[in-house]
Amino acid sequence: MTRISALLLGLLLFLSGADAFAQRGNPSFSFINSSGYTIRELYVSSSRQSSWGHDRLGQYVLQSGQNIWIPLSGAGGCYVDVRVVYNNGRAQEARNVETCSRRALSWR
């Protein structure tokens, strides 16, 4: 096998492995507040769960244009539910958001 053939074969194996990883996926993502409003509460949970869990912001707020990393376990799957509460008390939700194939979620 020539050196170029070995390199091409190695690249092919790497890409097929990367594709398998993407399918298995890591559901963690960067949440970007693109809403134009300040978010005071942020909940992200596996779509398999029936509860929202804890507020990911805690005592902080997320201004428009800011982002926060949302670490998630792969055990929960690739689909999450997201709930935000804005400073004015209005809430907004999104269900069954697929996160394994993306690194960021821009919230509008």
Side-chain angles (χ1 to χ4, degrees):
M1 180 180 295
T2 68
R3 182 177 225 162
I4 292 177
S5 297
L7 286 172
L8 289 174
L9 179 60
L11 180 61
L12 181 61
L13 289 173
F14 171 77
L15 291 175
S16 65
D19 185 48
F21 177 77
Q23 289 174 3
R24 218 177 28 236
N26 179 345
S28 300
F29 63 97
S30 179
F31 179 92
I32 304 165
N33 180 4
S34 301
S35 68
Y37 302 97
T38 298
I39 295 174
R40 74 172 186 211
E41 297 173 33
L42 171 62
Y43 302 91
V44 178
S45 64
S46 168
S47 293
R48 297 176 185 171
Q49 293 180 325
S50 60
S51 67
W52 286 111
H54 69 283
D55 173 14
R56 303 281 178 146
L57 297 178
Q59 64 184 13
Y60 301 101
V61 296
L62 195 64
Q63 302 289 337
S64 185
Q66 291 182 324
N67 65 62
I68 183 173
W69 181 251
I70 305 294
L72 297 169
S73 163
C78 292
Y79 291 87
V80 299
D81 298 334
V82 179
R83 175 180 169 84
V84 302
V85 179
Y86 299 102
N87 255 359
N88 64 6
R90 186 174 64 90
Q92 186 177 0
E93 297 177 4
R95 304 280 182 163
N96 295 311
V97 178
E98 193 278 327
T99 60
C100 286
S101 66
R102 62 175 80 186
R103 295 273 186 239
L105 172 64
S106 183
W107 187 263
R108 299 191 186 276

